[in-house]
Amino acid sequence: MKIAFLTLGCKVNSYETEKMKTQFETEGYEIVSFSEKADVYVVNTCTVTNIADRKSRKMLHRARRMNPDAVVVAAGCYVDSARQKGEEDESVDLFIGNEDKEIMISKVEKIMEKRGILNKENCPGHSVGEMSEKAEQELHTRAYIKIQNGCNQYCSYCIIPYVRGKLESRTEEDILSETKKLAAAGFHEIVLTGIHLSSFGVDREFKKTDANSFVKLQGKYLLELLQKMAQVSGIERLRLGSLEPRIITEEFVKKLAEIPEVCPHFHLSLQSGCDATLKRMNRHYSSQEYLQGVEILRKYFKDPAITTDIIVGFPGETEEEFKTTCDFAKKVSFAQIHVFKYSRRHGTVADRMEDQVDEQVKNSRSDRLLAIEAELEKQYQQKFPDQTQKVLIEEPVLIEGTKYLVGYNERYVRIAVPYEKGVSDESLCNSLIDVHINGSLEGDILLGKRERACNL
Ligand code: SF4
């Protein structure tokens, strides 16, 4: 049986797709590319914007066209939100919400058995949940671990708390056991992901009525977890997914900086640099508090990469408010900004707000902020020439007709070293090497010269 997966959206979805792939593989399925003919197609969907909804539907229809007899599965966030709206889609055989991803295999096989295309007794499966050797080999040099699900924040524009549910953290034992497995499989870098990473573990103590305790507890369990993960032999880098600004306190960052494995790369979701907009977004910090957090990070980490998300065209955003956000972005001097045009999500508070911003205005604001972003990114990259950077080599890549080995430094800057057959060949993939930066290539890739292999 051949099965093809396609992932849309965030890193949590990517992580969950890997899990689903492993389950199907251990049951004897062959994973094929989404452009091939398969018996089962799974689209792990996203609903964060209208465009994501549209793309999810488009991919499901594409799967149906690839093989009219295949079982087509829509999984994830779009499913949950479409259910709420009562949407149906004839090209889909099975809708699997986030809650049911882990039992998808039994639901898929029930359909196949009904259609007479699967006889389970003839399947050479193993027990579900164990990571197969092939799956391990096919994962990349950087592994993702989802440490929590759900979110209790209810930002006024966001559908996620409604489709992913309340905060739910995995146990420390469970995460550490997965970390050890990944380290044993040869991974040196782990990225911690989640829907609201900063709240990890808070659900163990948080009482609904006690908002202050909630804020106070943010970071406590995450720090403890990072300290333990760093002890796992073979783990060289721990990278944090998106953090919420309120977690950045002097106490938290000081302890974080004592863990050398933690990468100096912090994605702090800003969303707007204007306090009035932040308030309408139901984000619980001011631009000043955000800036203080950035200063703390810069005090304890050298040249940290501070990256962020910004939404333009939020309901009621005036030209003045937008300009305040642009000025703030320059003031923070972000290493990278992901710019999103506000997209109405049915059922959210912002969807019901008056003063929705015209699409043309959103497009123009997005272009203007992207121009600022390009400039800031260039400025950040200028910190590296003549420096030696530790690069985790990921893959050989052909750039402008020349072959390079490409990887990332701790600050998530992409760096290439010339490919020297017999010296820096593919055997260096998944190795950490010291690279002296001496130039740049197209597509914001820095160019460097290999110094020596780091000891692993
Ligand atoms: S913090 Fe806000 S934007 Fe992020 S998932 Fe929760 S509600 Fe959505």
Side-chain angles (χ1 to χ4, degrees), residues 150-161 195-196 244 271 283:
C151 177
N152 296 357
Q153 300 297 305
Y154 292 94
C155 299
S156 64
Y157 52 83
C158 184
I159 192 78
I160 297 299
I195 300 295
H196 196 251
E244 98 123 74
Q271 310 304 7
R283 304 282 292 177

Side-chain angles (χ1 to χ4, degrees), residues 135-176:
E136 283 175 3
Q137 285 163 3
E138 280 181 1
L139 292 171
H140 306 111
T141 51
R142 195 177 323 113
Y144 294 87
I145 297 187
K146 186 177 85 173
I147 65 167
Q148 64 78 229
N149 204 357
C151 177
N152 296 357
Q153 300 297 305
Y154 292 94
C155 299
S156 64
Y157 52 83
C158 184
I159 192 78
I160 297 299
Y162 305 97
V163 296
R164 286 265 175 186
K166 291 269 177 205
L167 172 65
E168 200 183 326
S169 304
R170 279 175 71 189
T171 65
E172 211 176 73
E173 298 74 53
D174 201 17
I175 300 165
L176 287 172

Side-chain angles (χ1 to χ4, degrees), residues 245-431:
R246 283 181 299 171
I247 199 175
I248 305 297
T249 61
E250 185 105 23
E251 193 191 351
F252 176 74
V253 178
K254 198 171 170 205
K255 288 193 182 133
L256 202 62
E258 286 164 8
I259 310 171
E261 288 79 7
V262 170
C263 292
H265 169 206
F266 301 99
H267 188 84
L268 281 192
S269 305
L270 172 66
Q271 310 304 7
S272 170
C274 165
D275 291 341
T277 317
L278 283 172
K279 202 157 187 202
R280 292 199 303 281
M281 288 177 163
N282 197 28
R283 304 282 292 177
H284 304 276
Y285 52 85
S286 66
S287 55
Q288 189 51 35
E289 283 161 345
Y290 186 100
L291 198 59
Q292 275 163 11
V294 171
E295 279 160 9
I296 295 173
L297 286 169
R298 288 187 171 140
K299 179 173 161 192
Y300 287 95
F301 290 90
K302 183 176 181 293
D303 293 333
I306 313 280
T307 59
T308 200
D309 300 324
I310 295 181
I311 297 172
V312 296
F314 186 76
E317 185 188 63
T318 61
E319 177 62 19
E320 211 45 51
E321 290 184 355
F322 172 68
K323 278 188 186 152
T324 305
T325 293
C326 293
D327 291 344
F328 189 74
K330 290 184 207 158
K331 194 167 174 182
V332 173
S333 200
F334 287 109
Q336 214 176 48
I337 306 172
H338 299 153
V339 179
F340 295 92
K341 286 177 261 182
Y342 168 72
S343 170
R344 293 176 83 157
R345 309 310 295 141
H346 179 73
T348 59
V349 172
D351 182 44
R352 297 189 292 275
M353 286 179 182
E354 290 174 0
D355 301 329
Q356 297 286 331
V357 175
D358 187 80
E359 285 305 313
Q360 271 183 347
V361 175
K362 284 185 204 169
N363 289 340
S364 137
R365 287 181 188 167
S366 167
D367 291 346
R368 284 157 67 195
L369 190 55
L370 281 170
I372 294 172
E373 177 324 295
E375 192 50 43
L376 293 177
E377 192 173 350
K378 209 190 290 165
Q379 278 172 23
Y380 184 68
Q381 296 220 345
Q382 279 161 6
K383 292 182 188 295
F384 299 105
D386 262 346
Q387 282 192 23
T388 295
Q389 295 290 304
K390 273 191 178 26
V391 180
L392 181 58
I393 296 293
E394 294 203 342
E395 54 181 356
V397 176
L398 208 60
I399 306 167
E400 295 165 354
T402 307
K403 202 169 177 186
Y404 294 91
L405 287 169
V406 177
Y408 288 86
N409 71 357
E410 296 159 303
R411 293 163 179 81
Y412 209 61
V413 175
R414 215 163 167 223
I415 296 174
V417 284
Y419 183 89
E420 299 163 39
K421 190 88 183 110
V423 184
S424 50
D425 62 8
E426 271 101 340
S427 64
L428 283 182
C429 290
N430 200 24
S431 300

Side-chain angles (χ1 to χ4, degrees), residues 1-4 28-32 36-41:
M1 283 289 156
K2 291 183 177 176
I3 183 163
Y29 287 73
E30 184 190 346
I31 311 281
V32 297
E36 280 181 46
K37 188 171 179 194
D39 302 290
V40 184
Y41 290 91

Side-chain angles (χ1 to χ4, degrees), residues 13 34 104 118 149 160 242 259 331 341 407 437:
N13 254 11
F34 202 78
M104 176 193 292
L118 179 78
N149 204 357
I160 297 299
S242 183
I259 310 171
K331 194 167 174 182
K341 286 177 261 182
I437 307 300

